[in-house]
Amino acid sequence: MHLIITEKHDAANKIAGILFPDRSAERHGGVTVYRSKAAGAAVVGLAGHIVELDFPREYSRWSAHPPSALIGAPIVSVPTKKDIVGALASLAPSATKVTIATDYDREGELIGVEAYNIVHRLTKAPFNRVRYSSFAQQEIRQAFAKPVPLDFNLAAAGECRQEIDLVWGAALTRFVSLAGNKAGKDFLSVGRVQTPLLAIIVDREKEIQAFVSKPYWEVVAILLKGQEAFLAKHAKGRFEKKDEAMAVHKKLGKTAAVKNVLKGRRKEPAPVPFSTTEFLKAAAAIGYSAASAMQVAEELYINGWISYPRTDNTVYPSTLDLRQTVGLFKASPDFAQSALELLSQKTLEATRGKVESKDHPPIYPVACASKTQMDERKWKLYELVVRRFFATLSPACEWEVVKADIDISGEPFIADGRRLAVPGWRRHYPYGMPKDEIIPPLTAGDILAVKKADLLEKKTEPPKRYGQGRLIEMMEKLGLGTKATRHEALSKLYSRGYIEANPPKPTQTGITLIDALKAHASAITGPEMTSRLESDMDGIAESRLQKGQVIAESKAMLRAVFDQLELHRNDIGRTLRSGAAMDSPIGPCPRCGSPLIVRETHADRRKFIACTGFPECRNTYNVPPGTLKFDKKVCEKHKLHLVKVTPPSVIDSAGKKVKGKAYDYGCPACRKEAFLPPALR
């Protein structure tokens, strides 16, 4: 039996359908297996990683070992998908040949090796590996016709990343969580990639907060040539002094004279093919988060519409038949016009980016779809990929630009115009299209009427927050994460409550975490250490370094970090507790400064307010039954948000349900003090 192992169930179904027309599905220990009697083959899909790295059970209790003990703790491999492991074990003895057909990247190679480690102990069958970048029928058949050996070095690089991320994440997370009294489900997460990313977001927020807006003035005029109106701006641009701007504005008369007109053409080259980073930037511009864009792209890939979406490549391989790929769309109601226009060109020459790799091509469409075959969420990204592909095969567009120097009462003004003269690639790719700025035909010596002149008061604007696409691009340049993990780091920051909104804005907890770490262990928040480890993992994949060397180096780095953390544990804890308290809807505990939260008693589900510093701090406040809302107003004495209570509904004498009426309860600390004897207040 030829056993074929894919990364996911959908991939198994797709490959079985392409290779074996007679395939039938059967359940094997709870796992779907696709069999072909004619070919004597079985195709089974994994569910991503089927085993994971972890510490032995005795390290699961945080109180049993100090966080630094995790640096040297043993690491074990634990099955996470026991049903799939069981299915592989039962299929293995019958195998006469085994093909690993997982995704071709570090994670995919590691997942394939995980399956290899299970199967090869139970069979003497030979193993091979197939690599493909799409589920196009021709590509899948070609991949299976030319298998290659498993790349154990590439898998070792992936396993090295897993081990380093486990040790760094677990040790640092435990340290800061315990220091900040945030153990349990509200723990403070720290990671090798996510923390430097959070630092970038926090640094930007501090730039915004530190920005001091300054006023400036602009002088503009609406001019008329015949009945055509257009805008001209004073050549100085910004006036820092209001008096100077007012003097210019006051002297402007009712006529203007054109002194000089410069006309020209500016070429705008076509964009480069989509790498993962470029794709995520473009998707962010049309409203997708990085995580949602990658999820949709993965679905489009599995369903055979686009090529593999995790790639650094920005150069199409010479083996890709560009004309044939464009020809897929010549009968499409959505893309035929663009496809036929491109096919009419004598040659199709694609743009080239700076990065050329041989693992996967840039993201491009591999099949023609229609709107009826997918929902709008998928269609928008599919259309983006198709139109980007068309754009990369198109000539540059040309803008006709005009600059007119105009005199108004001795003051120099400038009028700028632009018009898309040759659409080029923008005919196919309308995203981010600048608007035409039309001014009437002008020649030197023309006399124009001044319809009106305005003095505009403006203020300098603070820098904008980084969008998700921009952050992904910055991570790539700084060497943070990989094409497959950068969007996951962003998602983790959202899930842990370190950032909110879009573009991402750091919460107070996120800001104080970075403040505490920067003050006492800045190596964690900078990109240098993480970038170096990423480079070392590339060295493992390229056989230049051994996995053991890189892991030993990473542990030495982490021990040096812990030397600094342990020295400043109390200071870090105080900073973290103050930040968490500022994010609390109630406020900081008046006794210890930790955040207050609402809890319920186990017996009767009665609500009360408690300190998160428990068990060190056992401060609590009783509140009446009902729904609690916390006002923006804060008690001056205790710095707690005032409470509003809506009592539970009751049944009146007529049997009708009567809703409770909200009332102001006030500060829970003040209420508690009112019932205490003066000596205990």
Side-chain angles (χ1 to χ4, degrees), residues 556-573:
M557 290 179 180
L558 188 53
R559 286 191 178 96
V561 167
F562 262 88
D563 289 343
Q564 296 299 310
L565 291 174
E566 296 288 4
L567 283 174
H568 303 284
R569 182 187 184 94
N570 292 337
D571 293 335
I572 292 171

PDB file of all heavy atoms in Angstrom, residues 556-573:
ATOM      1  N   ALA A 556      21.835  30.571  26.965  1.00  0.00           N
ATOM      2  CA  ALA A 556      22.817  31.479  27.569  1.00  0.00           C
ATOM      3  C   ALA A 556      22.302  32.915  27.540  1.00  0.00           C
ATOM      4  O   ALA A 556      22.446  33.671  28.513  1.00  0.00           O
ATOM      5  CB  ALA A 556      24.149  31.368  26.825  1.00  0.00           C
ATOM      6  N   MET A 557      21.673  33.308  26.421  1.00  0.00           N
ATOM      7  CA  MET A 557      21.068  34.644  26.327  1.00  0.00           C
ATOM      8  C   MET A 557      19.997  34.822  27.398  1.00  0.00           C
ATOM      9  O   MET A 557      19.921  35.855  28.068  1.00  0.00           O
ATOM     10  CB  MET A 557      20.429  34.839  24.946  1.00  0.00           C
ATOM     11  CG  MET A 557      21.378  34.961  23.780  1.00  0.00           C
ATOM     12  SD  MET A 557      20.406  35.161  22.242  1.00  0.00           S
ATOM     13  CE  MET A 557      21.712  35.276  21.024  1.00  0.00           C
ATOM     14  N   LEU A 558      19.160  33.792  27.552  1.00  0.00           N
ATOM     15  CA  LEU A 558      18.042  33.892  28.490  1.00  0.00           C
ATOM     16  C   LEU A 558      18.538  33.945  29.939  1.00  0.00           C
ATOM     17  O   LEU A 558      17.968  34.664  30.770  1.00  0.00           O
ATOM     18  CB  LEU A 558      17.095  32.710  28.281  1.00  0.00           C
ATOM     19  CG  LEU A 558      15.765  32.748  29.034  1.00  0.00           C
ATOM     20  CD1 LEU A 558      15.013  34.044  28.775  1.00  0.00           C
ATOM     21  CD2 LEU A 558      14.896  31.552  28.645  1.00  0.00           C
ATOM     22  N   ARG A 559      19.590  33.207  30.251  1.00  0.00           N
ATOM     23  CA  ARG A 559      20.143  33.264  31.619  1.00  0.00           C
ATOM     24  C   ARG A 559      20.662  34.670  31.924  1.00  0.00           C
ATOM     25  O   ARG A 559      20.501  35.173  33.045  1.00  0.00           O
ATOM     26  CB  ARG A 559      21.253  32.229  31.782  1.00  0.00           C
ATOM     27  CG  ARG A 559      20.732  30.796  31.895  1.00  0.00           C
ATOM     28  CD  ARG A 559      21.823  29.819  32.319  1.00  0.00           C
ATOM     29  NE  ARG A 559      21.268  28.480  32.456  1.00  0.00           N
ATOM     30  CZ  ARG A 559      21.307  27.552  31.513  1.00  0.00           C
ATOM     31  NH1 ARG A 559      21.886  27.833  30.344  1.00  0.00           N
ATOM     32  NH2 ARG A 559      20.771  26.364  31.717  1.00  0.00           N
ATOM     33  N   ALA A 560      21.295  35.310  30.937  1.00  0.00           N
ATOM     34  CA  ALA A 560      21.781  36.677  31.131  1.00  0.00           C
ATOM     35  C   ALA A 560      20.614  37.631  31.382  1.00  0.00           C
ATOM     36  O   ALA A 560      20.706  38.549  32.204  1.00  0.00           O
ATOM     37  CB  ALA A 560      22.578  37.124  29.907  1.00  0.00           C
ATOM     38  N   VAL A 561      19.495  37.407  30.683  1.00  0.00           N
ATOM     39  CA  VAL A 561      18.299  38.226  30.903  1.00  0.00           C
ATOM     40  C   VAL A 561      17.775  38.034  32.326  1.00  0.00           C
ATOM     41  O   VAL A 561      17.437  38.991  33.024  1.00  0.00           O
ATOM     42  CB  VAL A 561      17.211  37.867  29.868  1.00  0.00           C
ATOM     43  CG1 VAL A 561      15.870  38.469  30.274  1.00  0.00           C
ATOM     44  CG2 VAL A 561      17.606  38.350  28.485  1.00  0.00           C
ATOM     45  N   PHE A 562      17.732  36.767  32.778  1.00  0.00           N
ATOM     46  CA  PHE A 562      17.217  36.488  34.123  1.00  0.00           C
ATOM     47  C   PHE A 562      18.106  37.072  35.217  1.00  0.00           C
ATOM     48  O   PHE A 562      17.615  37.433  36.290  1.00  0.00           O
ATOM     49  CB  PHE A 562      17.024  34.981  34.320  1.00  0.00           C
ATOM     50  CG  PHE A 562      15.612  34.537  34.107  1.00  0.00           C
ATOM     51  CD1 PHE A 562      15.165  34.190  32.845  1.00  0.00           C
ATOM     52  CD2 PHE A 562      14.712  34.503  35.158  1.00  0.00           C
ATOM     53  CE1 PHE A 562      13.848  33.801  32.635  1.00  0.00           C
ATOM     54  CE2 PHE A 562      13.400  34.113  34.965  1.00  0.00           C
ATOM     55  CZ  PHE A 562      12.961  33.760  33.701  1.00  0.00           C
ATOM     56  N   ASP A 563      19.399  37.172  34.965  1.00  0.00           N
ATOM     57  CA  ASP A 563      20.280  37.818  35.949  1.00  0.00           C
ATOM     58  C   ASP A 563      19.810  39.240  36.225  1.00  0.00           C
ATOM     59  O   ASP A 563      19.834  39.708  37.379  1.00  0.00           O
ATOM     60  CB  ASP A 563      21.722  37.832  35.432  1.00  0.00           C
ATOM     61  CG  ASP A 563      22.357  36.445  35.433  1.00  0.00           C
ATOM     62  OD1 ASP A 563      21.812  35.558  36.120  1.00  0.00           O
ATOM     63  OD2 ASP A 563      23.375  36.262  34.746  1.00  0.00           O
ATOM     64  N   GLN A 564      19.372  39.948  35.182  1.00  0.00           N
ATOM     65  CA  GLN A 564      18.875  41.317  35.346  1.00  0.00           C
ATOM     66  C   GLN A 564      17.476  41.336  35.961  1.00  0.00           C
ATOM     67  O   GLN A 564      17.175  42.158  36.833  1.00  0.00           O
ATOM     68  CB  GLN A 564      18.847  42.030  33.989  1.00  0.00           C
ATOM     69  CG  GLN A 564      20.218  42.230  33.360  1.00  0.00           C
ATOM     70  CD  GLN A 564      21.114  43.082  34.243  1.00  0.00           C
ATOM     71  OE1 GLN A 564      20.716  44.157  34.699  1.00  0.00           O
ATOM     72  NE2 GLN A 564      22.313  42.592  34.501  1.00  0.00           N
ATOM     73  N   LEU A 565      16.617  40.427  35.520  1.00  0.00           N
ATOM     74  CA  LEU A 565      15.249  40.399  36.029  1.00  0.00           C
ATOM     75  C   LEU A 565      15.204  40.135  37.538  1.00  0.00           C
ATOM     76  O   LEU A 565      14.477  40.803  38.280  1.00  0.00           O
ATOM     77  CB  LEU A 565      14.440  39.326  35.301  1.00  0.00           C
ATOM     78  CG  LEU A 565      14.112  39.575  33.824  1.00  0.00           C
ATOM     79  CD1 LEU A 565      13.431  38.353  33.233  1.00  0.00           C
ATOM     80  CD2 LEU A 565      13.237  40.801  33.655  1.00  0.00           C
ATOM     81  N   GLU A 566      15.976  39.159  37.996  1.00  0.00           N
ATOM     82  CA  GLU A 566      15.946  38.799  39.414  1.00  0.00           C
ATOM     83  C   GLU A 566      16.413  39.947  40.295  1.00  0.00           C
ATOM     84  O   GLU A 566      15.915  40.126  41.412  1.00  0.00           O
ATOM     85  CB  GLU A 566      16.814  37.559  39.666  1.00  0.00           C
ATOM     86  CG  GLU A 566      16.317  36.292  38.976  1.00  0.00           C
ATOM     87  CD  GLU A 566      15.057  35.717  39.612  1.00  0.00           C
ATOM     88  OE1 GLU A 566      14.519  36.338  40.549  1.00  0.00           O
ATOM     89  OE2 GLU A 566      14.598  34.653  39.166  1.00  0.00           O
ATOM     90  N   LEU A 567      17.356  40.738  39.800  1.00  0.00           N
ATOM     91  CA  LEU A 567      17.854  41.872  40.589  1.00  0.00           C
ATOM     92  C   LEU A 567      16.776  42.924  40.824  1.00  0.00           C
ATOM     93  O   LEU A 567      16.807  43.648  41.825  1.00  0.00           O
ATOM     94  CB  LEU A 567      19.045  42.526  39.866  1.00  0.00           C
ATOM     95  CG  LEU A 567      20.398  41.806  39.946  1.00  0.00           C
ATOM     96  CD1 LEU A 567      21.412  42.511  39.061  1.00  0.00           C
ATOM     97  CD2 LEU A 567      20.893  41.769  41.393  1.00  0.00           C
ATOM     98  N   HIS A 568      15.828  43.021  39.907  1.00  0.00           N
ATOM     99  CA  HIS A 568      14.847  44.115  39.954  1.00  0.00           C
ATOM    100  C   HIS A 568      13.421  43.582  40.054  1.00  0.00           C
ATOM    101  O   HIS A 568      12.479  44.250  39.623  1.00  0.00           O
ATOM    102  CB  HIS A 568      14.995  44.990  38.707  1.00  0.00           C
ATOM    103  CG  HIS A 568      16.368  45.556  38.524  1.00  0.00           C
ATOM    104  ND1 HIS A 568      16.840  46.608  39.258  1.00  0.00           N
ATOM    105  CD2 HIS A 568      17.385  45.165  37.698  1.00  0.00           C
ATOM    106  CE1 HIS A 568      18.084  46.890  38.887  1.00  0.00           C
ATOM    107  NE2 HIS A 568      18.437  46.025  37.948  1.00  0.00           N
ATOM    108  N   ARG A 569      13.244  42.420  40.624  1.00  0.00           N
ATOM    109  CA  ARG A 569      11.936  41.782  40.700  1.00  0.00           C
ATOM    110  C   ARG A 569      10.883  42.688  41.339  1.00  0.00           C
ATOM    111  O   ARG A 569       9.774  42.837  40.822  1.00  0.00           O
ATOM    112  CB  ARG A 569      12.047  40.470  41.485  1.00  0.00           C
ATOM    113  CG  ARG A 569      10.737  39.697  41.574  1.00  0.00           C
ATOM    114  CD  ARG A 569      10.850  38.500  42.501  1.00  0.00           C
ATOM    115  NE  ARG A 569       9.626  37.731  42.485  1.00  0.00           N
ATOM    116  CZ  ARG A 569       9.403  36.679  41.711  1.00  0.00           C
ATOM    117  NH1 ARG A 569      10.343  36.294  40.874  1.00  0.00           N
ATOM    118  NH2 ARG A 569       8.259  36.029  41.751  1.00  0.00           N
ATOM    119  N   ASN A 570      11.210  43.313  42.460  1.00  0.00           N
ATOM    120  CA  ASN A 570      10.222  44.140  43.174  1.00  0.00           C
ATOM    121  C   ASN A 570       9.822  45.367  42.360  1.00  0.00           C
ATOM    122  O   ASN A 570       8.642  45.731  42.298  1.00  0.00           O
ATOM    123  CB  ASN A 570      10.772  44.555  44.536  1.00  0.00           C
ATOM    124  CG  ASN A 570      10.904  43.373  45.480  1.00  0.00           C
ATOM    125  OD1 ASN A 570      10.227  42.358  45.320  1.00  0.00           O
ATOM    126  ND2 ASN A 570      11.785  43.482  46.459  1.00  0.00           N
ATOM    127  N   ASP A 571      10.804  46.011  41.733  1.00  0.00           N
ATOM    128  CA  ASP A 571      10.496  47.189  40.914  1.00  0.00           C
ATOM    129  C   ASP A 571       9.609  46.809  39.731  1.00  0.00           C
ATOM    130  O   ASP A 571       8.661  47.528  39.386  1.00  0.00           O
ATOM    131  CB  ASP A 571      11.789  47.829  40.392  1.00  0.00           C
ATOM    132  CG  ASP A 571      12.623  48.435  41.508  1.00  0.00           C
ATOM    133  OD1 ASP A 571      12.039  48.789  42.549  1.00  0.00           O
ATOM    134  OD2 ASP A 571      13.853  48.530  41.342  1.00  0.00           O
ATOM    135  N   ILE A 572       9.923  45.684  39.101  1.00  0.00           N
ATOM    136  CA  ILE A 572       9.117  45.220  37.964  1.00  0.00           C
ATOM    137  C   ILE A 572       7.694  44.934  38.422  1.00  0.00           C
ATOM    138  O   ILE A 572       6.718  45.317  37.761  1.00  0.00           O
ATOM    139  CB  ILE A 572       9.759  43.960  37.335  1.00  0.00           C
ATOM    140  CG1 ILE A 572      11.078  44.330  36.664  1.00  0.00           C
ATOM    141  CG2 ILE A 572       8.814  43.310  36.336  1.00  0.00           C
ATOM    142  CD1 ILE A 572      11.897  43.139  36.214  1.00  0.00           C
ATOM    143  N   GLY A 573       7.548  44.278  39.573  1.00  0.00           N
ATOM    144  CA  GLY A 573       6.214  43.963  40.093  1.00  0.00           C
ATOM    145  C   GLY A 573       5.389  45.194  40.357  1.00  0.00           C
ATOM    146  O   GLY A 573       4.192  45.245  40.018  1.00  0.00           O
TER     147      GLY A 573
END
